[in-house]
């Protein structure tokens, strides 16, 4: 039984007033007494290092310098008091398992609470008994306490709300099936509910959002750069797409951007005011061709521009807009609404449609599948952090490559510049892409002082040959953006870092010097 010391201390912040907001009544935090001093009034005061902050506390009973205490925070007549429970017998005792056990016994918590307390202690967080108990129940539900502790560590490390709901969403993000796989299953369920209006609307929206035509942008570019003898026919097809021929200066700029594969410049030269309308017109034009309703000359040119073998530009545009299509930025849009009182003008997202479907559908199986997908999307948004647009900390996207969609999962880790922006000069990106022929390929890209090294992990010898052949082009593209490529290597798959959903929660990284 831990001796409970009835010592109370009204507290004030040493350097600023944030302590009264950071530490709230009902919480507890572990702190070490760094110094005891006499005040001008004759009272004794202590400087306590707690939760990463230095707090000055007036003492009603002496505490030992260097000792570790569990401080339970109470409020009495408008004043915040900290009641001390000793966690160490020695001044030099570290924040170890002994302190974890003593906290557990002080609050009479079960052994299942040990992983939660361990991470609270490690992060220097302040927590209530109720918050710890709720997290314990959430960890139990996973059935995998060791893996769950990694998610707990991430939650506390990022100072996210100590909520079991937040933990469950992060857990769904880490352990959920690949997004493309979940979307495929949901499509199958929707197909069986064709008589249900809500399911029919969601199916059409998913097809529209997640099955883009991968030659749309390339086709538009090829029409705009058509040869003179095709000009009249190209002009007719461009009109069907809502586009007009470019003046000569923009045409030359577009041709140069295509030659150097500057995709962002290509999009600017296209001047698409409404990309959703453009894609709808493209689909209508392609449907007219399929049904034989195009004049012969237009049909012939459409076949030529449609048969592109290089969908890189369309994939670039798909990835550029994917977060918005999925709804990963919806919460940020709501924050902006609160600040500006202006409703967002963005197109409906998959996330918003899924939320609507949950209220309108009568199928329990479809609702469960929708909720699982929503949990994963919410978990990714929480893991991304920030209160603005989604940041590239972790993103998983269904990528339409080849005959089926597969996941492109990207985990970004690095440091930030002063003020918060991600530092593009120092970072690490771990990507996982599933291809039809090669299967899963993991790519690890490290950037130090704008010097890039890329490692790919796969056992197929053809990948090393392809990497060597494409290395000069990759080096040239990095140079165009002010980066230097130090090399590309292909390693055995067994030596790969964890895939992004697992890598995100691994605690083996300090800025960009990560343990692979």
């Amino acid at each position: 039984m831990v001796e409970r010391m009835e010592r109370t201390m009204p507290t004030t912040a040493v350097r600023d007033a944030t302590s009264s907001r950071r530490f709230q009544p009902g919480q507890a935090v572990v702190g070490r007494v760094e110094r005891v001093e006499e005040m001008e009034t004759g009272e004794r005061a202590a400087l306590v290092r707690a939760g990463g902050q230095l707090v000055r506390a007036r003492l009603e009973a002496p505490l030992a310098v260097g000792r570790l205490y569990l401080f339970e925070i109470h409020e009495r007549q408008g004043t915040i008091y900290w009641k001390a429970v000793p966690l160490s017998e020695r001044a030099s005792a570290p924040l170890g398992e002994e302190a974890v056990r003593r906290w557990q016994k002080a609050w009479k918590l079960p052994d299942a609470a040990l992983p939660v307390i361990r991470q609270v202690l490690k992060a220097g967080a302040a927590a209530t008994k109720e918050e710890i108990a709720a997290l314990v129940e959430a960890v139990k539900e996973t059935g995998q306490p060791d893996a769950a502790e990694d998610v707990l560590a991430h939650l506390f490390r990022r100072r996210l709300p100590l909520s079991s709901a937040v933990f469950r969403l992060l857990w769904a993000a880490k352990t959920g099936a690949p997004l493309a796989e979940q979307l495929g299953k949901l499509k199958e369920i929707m197909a069986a509910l064709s008589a249900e209006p809500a399911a029919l609307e969601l199916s059409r929206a998913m097809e529209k959002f997640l099955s883009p035509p991968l030659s749309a942008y390339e086709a538009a570019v090829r029409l705009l750069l058509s040869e003179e003898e095709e000009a009249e026919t190209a002009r007719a097809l461009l009109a069907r797409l809502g586009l007009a021929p470019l003046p000569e200066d923009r045409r030359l700029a577009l041709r140069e951007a295509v030659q150097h594969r500057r995709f962002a410049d290509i999009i600017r030269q296209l001047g698409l005011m409404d990309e959703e309308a453009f894609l709808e017109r493209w689909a209508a034009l392609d449907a007219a061709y399929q049904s034989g309703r195009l004049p012969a000359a237009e049909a012939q040119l459409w076949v030529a521009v449609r048969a592109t073998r290089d969908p890189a530009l369309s994939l670039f545009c798909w990835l550029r807009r994917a977060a918005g299509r999925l709804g990963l930025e919806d919460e940020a849009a709501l924050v902006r609404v609160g600040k500006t009182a202006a409703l967002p003008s963005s197109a409906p997202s998959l996330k918003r449609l899924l939320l609507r479907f949950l209220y309108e559908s009568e199928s329990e199986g479809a609702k469960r599948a929708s909720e699982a997908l929503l949990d994963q999307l919410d978990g990714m948004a929480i893991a991304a952090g920030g209160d603005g647009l989604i940041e590239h900390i972790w993103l998983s996207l269904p990528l339409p490559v080849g005959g089926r969609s597969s996941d492109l999962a990207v985990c970004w880790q690095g440091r930030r510049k002063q003020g918060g922006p991600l530092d593009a000069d120092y970072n690490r990106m771990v990507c996982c892409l599933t291809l039809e022929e090669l299967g899963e390929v993991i790519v690890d890209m490290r950037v130090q002082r704008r010097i890039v090294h890329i490692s790919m992990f796969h056992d197929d010898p053809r990948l090393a040959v392809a990497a060597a052949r494409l290395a000069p082009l990759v080096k040239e593209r990095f140079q165009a953006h002010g980066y230097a490529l130090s090399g590309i290597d292909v390693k055995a798959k067994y030596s790969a870092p964890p895939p992004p959903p697992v890598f995100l929660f691994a605690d083996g990284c300090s800025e960009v010097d990560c343990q692979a």
Side-chain angles (χ1 to χ4, degrees):
M1 185 72 180
V2 176
E3 179 188 358
R4 300 182 65 82
M5 301 173 62
E6 299 299 328
R7 296 166 179 174
T8 56
M9 304 161 291
T11 60
T12 57
V14 171
R15 295 179 180 173
D16 53 51
T18 57
S19 292
S20 60
R21 295 193 296 269
R22 169 81 180 277
F23 305 120
Q24 300 296 324
Q27 293 179 328
V29 66
V30 171
R32 192 183 298 278
V33 177
E34 294 198 350
R35 190 168 77 240
V36 177
E37 57 189 25
E38 292 287 340
M39 301 179 67
E40 293 180 0
T41 60
E43 297 177 291
R44 293 171 62 82
L47 298 184
V48 180
R49 179 72 61 181
Q53 296 186 9
L54 197 59
V55 179
R56 177 176 285 114
R58 291 179 178 86
L59 304 181
E60 291 185 357
L63 297 180
V65 173
R67 285 281 295 276
L68 199 65
Y69 295 90
L70 170 64
F71 293 100
E72 297 175 336
I73 305 173
H74 302 274
E75 184 175 6
R76 185 189 305 157
Q77 296 179 344
T79 305
I80 294 178
Y81 292 86
W82 290 25
K83 185 165 62 176
V85 179
L87 290 182
S88 64
E89 301 294 342
R90 308 178 308 278
S92 59
L95 287 171
E97 200 65 18
E98 178 190 353
V100 173
R101 292 282 181 179
R102 285 177 174 266
W103 189 343
Q104 176 208 6
K105 291 179 180 177
W107 277 12
K108 299 181 174 63
L109 292 168
D111 287 349
L114 292 174
V116 181
I117 297 174
R118 190 177 298 120
Q119 295 306 325
V120 173
L121 203 69
K122 185 176 179 181
T128 67
K129 188 174 182 178
E130 290 75 15
E131 287 170 338
I132 290 179
L135 286 171
V136 169
E137 291 304 313
V139 170
K140 283 182 181 178
E141 289 176 11
T142 69
Q144 303 177 51
D146 292 340
E149 193 163 353
D150 291 339
V151 178
L152 286 172
H154 180 84
L155 186 150
F156 288 113
R157 211 163 42 233
R158 293 283 306 279
R159 299 195 183 280
L160 295 169
L162 306 189
S163 158
S164 57
V166 170
F167 170 83
R168 289 185 179 100
L169 294 176
L170 291 173
W171 179 257
K174 178 183 178 181
T175 61
L179 210 57
E181 181 181 326
Q182 289 206 56
L183 288 166
K185 289 180 179 178
L186 188 57
K187 284 184 179 180
E188 292 177 5
I189 294 173
M190 294 298 104
L193 299 173
S194 55
E196 191 175 308
L200 186 60
E201 181 182 359
L202 180 58
S203 296
R204 288 173 177 169
M206 289 173 66
E207 192 66 29
K208 177 181 176 181
F209 290 170
L210 306 175
S211 302
L214 282 186
S215 60
Y217 297 89
E218 279 83 5
V221 168
R222 291 185 65 183
L223 286 172
L224 288 168
L225 297 178
S226 294
E227 299 298 332
E228 213 172 287
E229 59 271 18
E230 300 171 334
E232 185 175 346
T233 307
R235 192 176 296 112
L237 290 175
L238 286 171
R240 292 178 184 269
L241 294 174
L243 301 174
L246 297 177
E248 189 59 26
D249 58 338
R250 283 185 58 193
R251 179 183 166 92
L252 291 174
L254 176 61
R255 188 182 298 279
E256 182 182 0
V258 170
Q259 288 174 347
H260 294 283
R261 298 177 72 81
R262 297 197 299 265
F263 295 144
D265 288 347
I266 293 173
I267 296 303
R268 281 193 290 271
Q269 294 302 329
L270 284 179
L272 298 173
M273 301 301 293
D274 187 340
E275 289 187 74
E276 292 295 337
F278 163 72
L279 291 173
E280 288 178 3
R281 293 190 188 101
W282 191 97
L285 175 54
D286 200 50
Y289 163 73
Q290 298 292 344
S291 62
R293 290 182 284 114
L294 285 183
E298 292 182 27
Q300 185 177 357
L301 181 57
W302 183 247
V303 171
V305 300
R306 176 76 167 77
T308 178
R309 300 292 295 174
D310 181 16
L313 173 60
S314 290
L315 283 173
F316 168 82
C317 293
W318 164 246
L319 292 172
R320 180 173 58 94
R321 305 172 66 220
R325 289 171 182 260
L326 292 174
L328 298 179
E329 298 175 352
D330 283 356
E331 281 72 18
L334 291 174
V335 170
R336 290 194 296 273
V337 169
K339 291 179 178 178
T340 64
L343 291 173
S345 58
S346 56
S349 67
L350 174 66
K351 192 172 179 180
R352 275 175 265 175
L353 288 167
L354 285 170
L355 286 169
R356 180 178 169 186
F357 176 76
L358 286 176
Y359 286 99
E360 296 181 358
S361 176
E362 298 178 358
S363 168
E364 290 302 320
K367 285 186 175 183
R368 284 194 298 271
S370 299
E371 286 178 335
L373 189 53
L374 279 169
D375 284 349
Q376 191 158 352
L377 293 173
D378 287 338
M380 279 198 294
I382 291 172
D387 60 356
L389 295 178
I390 192 164
E391 298 174 351
H392 292 274
I393 293 178
W394 176 45
L395 210 54
S396 179
L397 303 170
L399 190 65
V401 177
R404 59 182 175 83
S405 286
S406 63
D407 262 26
L408 170 65
V410 181
C411 183
W412 183 99
Q413 285 193 344
R415 67 187 192 185
R416 296 178 182 275
K417 297 179 181 178
Q418 189 172 1
L422 304 178
D423 192 339
D425 297 347
Y426 298 85
N427 59 74
R428 180 185 183 186
M429 294 176 66
V430 175
C431 309
C432 180
L433 176 63
T434 304
L435 301 174
E436 284 187 289
E437 289 192 22
L438 291 177
E440 184 181 76
V441 180
I442 291 181
V443 180
D444 188 355
M445 185 180 81
R446 299 174 186 241
V447 183
Q448 296 268 12
R449 298 185 179 89
R450 301 185 77 81
I451 299 173
V452 182
H453 187 86
I454 299 174
S455 297
M456 292 186 288
F457 299 86
H458 200 277
D459 295 329
D460 193 318
R462 293 176 297 173
L463 194 58
V465 175
R469 180 165 51 86
L470 293 173
L473 176 61
V474 176
K475 183 175 183 179
E476 178 186 320
R477 295 310 310 131
F478 273 120
Q479 286 176 339
H481 294 280
Y483 290 86
L485 179 68
S486 67
I488 303 177
D489 51 51
V490 179
K491 300 179 180 180
K493 193 171 182 179
Y494 74 86
S495 61
V502 178
F503 181 75
L504 172 72
F505 296 99
D507 189 19
C509 186
S510 174
E511 291 188 340
V512 294
D513 298 319
C514 305
Q515 300 170 2

